[in-house]
Amino acid sequence: MLNHWAFHRQRGHGGGEMGRVQAWHWWTRTLPLLAAALLGLSSASQGEPRLAALYPKDGRRDLTGADLDRYKGAGVLWCRRPDGVPRRAAAAWLIADPTIVVLNAHNFRSRRLETTRQVSDCYFQIAGRNYEFVPDSLHLGTAPDATALHITDDWAILRLATPADVPPQPLPQPPDLPTGDVSLSVTMVSPAGHENYRGESSLEHCTVRRIDPPGEDGIRRIRHDCNDGYGGSGSGLFDEGGRLLAMQSASSVMNAKHAFDPEFHYGSALLFEGQLTAALATMRRPAR
């Protein structure tokens, strides 16, 4: 999945016939490289993933069975292409209830809240089984009168048509974390993997460096140095005690090996707090 939070601006070329010729040559040389970069591919890879970490140090490894036992609820959103072929889309989490799935809103909406996918074209996979969603169950994190999708409301909740036969992640408790610069050790769990990582899933120990002030929905964005790649949206960030803290939303620059920078080059996730945890608590079925 292309990361729709990343943007690129190109410079113009000189005017006149010479300028148009120069521009034509520039585009013929550059367009293939831009296309390869956007697809996470190198121009010489012939379809192989571009294995370039977001940061110089890449500590990711494959998920194991023990990891899945520890980080419960880890699943994958699969969506069908127009020709009906299913493709891995993003990470998704079974949380608080065997029928509740939490994932990023940008899997179904653009930044301008235009519909990009239908829920009926997707399904949830966990523990080797596939589960269909209730088509009209999509609950978005945006306000009813919103006209754009922002980082902290980039969450959505879906209901499964039948309960999953695995235990869900417990309902996250709002973290007692200060706003501002921090140094918090976390583990990014990516059940859907990344296009810049060879494995189908990954885990990495990394650090939260800053927590932004809350938005109107009471949710704060965290800036971290965890390696991410296209397809890593929805990855879970856990504290050292194994508690789910946040859900990955985007990275400021994809497939660029630069040092972490809190303003220009960072991973961005939203904390499980505010309206998100309130909605989960409301949607959870009463215990029997």
Side-chain angles (χ1 to χ4, degrees):
M1 179 191 303
L2 296 183
N3 189 309
H4 72 286
W5 306 103
F7 297 90
H8 301 272
R9 179 178 298 172
Q10 302 297 334
R11 292 183 179 179
H13 292 269
E17 184 64 26
M18 182 60 70
R20 287 192 291 270
V21 171
Q22 291 174 341
W24 170 257
H25 286 301
W26 186 87
W27 278 111
T28 56
R29 292 194 307 267
T30 305
L31 273 177
L33 298 178
L34 288 176
L38 288 172
L39 293 171
L41 307 173
S42 69
S43 59
S45 63
Q46 297 182 350
E48 291 298 317
R50 180 182 176 185
L51 302 175
L54 194 62
Y55 301 106
K57 181 180 179 181
D58 187 354
R60 289 173 292 182
R61 63 165 175 79
D62 293 354
L63 283 176
T64 66
D67 295 324
L68 295 174
D69 289 339
R70 177 175 172 81
Y71 305 109
K72 300 183 186 303
V76 179
L77 175 72
W78 287 78
C79 295
R80 302 173 186 90
R81 301 185 318 197
D83 61 4
V85 176
R87 294 187 64 183
R88 184 187 302 258
W93 294 86
L94 192 70
I95 295 180
D97 186 282
T99 66
I100 293 178
V101 174
V102 181
L103 67 176
N104 290 127
H106 72 245
N107 289 302
F108 301 98
R109 297 292 186 270
S110 70
R111 293 188 73 234
R112 295 184 179 180
L113 289 178
E114 300 159 328
T115 299
T116 54
R117 280 198 185 106
Q118 298 296 331
V119 172
S120 57
D121 290 332
C122 303
Y123 58 88
F124 179 65
Q125 184 181 87
I126 189 169
R129 294 187 60 185
N130 299 332
Y131 298 88
E132 298 293 332
F133 296 113
V134 176
D136 61 354
S137 65
L138 182 64
H139 179 101
L140 295 173
T142 53
D145 59 347
T147 58
L149 183 64
H150 301 290
I151 289 292
T152 55
D153 55 24
D154 185 25
W155 58 269
I157 302 174
L158 281 166
R159 180 81 69 178
L160 297 179
T162 57
D165 192 24
V166 293
Q169 176 70 209
L171 177 67
Q173 298 301 309
D176 183 18
L177 295 172
T179 297
D181 292 335
V182 298
S183 181
L184 176 67
S185 296
V186 293
T187 300
M188 174 180 271
V189 180
S190 305
H194 311 268
E195 284 195 13
N196 60 7
Y197 180 76
R198 292 185 183 279
E200 293 188 354
S201 61
S202 73
L203 176 150
E204 183 181 32
H205 302 297
C206 37
T207 305
V208 172
R209 306 289 195 90
R210 179 181 293 180
I211 301 178
D212 292 350
E216 293 180 0
D217 52 5
I219 299 175
R220 292 173 291 173
R221 171 175 61 174
I222 64 174
R223 308 187 189 208
H224 60 78
D225 62 6
C226 308
N227 279 294
D228 186 35
Y230 301 121
S233 296
S235 299
L237 276 72
F238 292 78
D239 67 12
E240 291 182 321
R243 184 177 64 159
L244 180 60
L245 294 177
M247 181 172 62
Q248 171 72 3
S249 177
S251 293
S252 59
V253 180
M254 282 295 190
N255 291 332
K257 276 195 171 185
H258 297 159
F260 171 85
D261 185 296
E263 302 296 338
F264 302 106
H265 190 60
Y266 57 89
S268 182
L270 54 101
L271 288 170
F272 277 90
E273 58 185 4
Q275 292 299 315
L276 174 52
T277 52
L280 285 169
T282 300
M283 295 178 68
R284 181 175 53 176
R285 297 179 305 179
R288 295 181 179 178

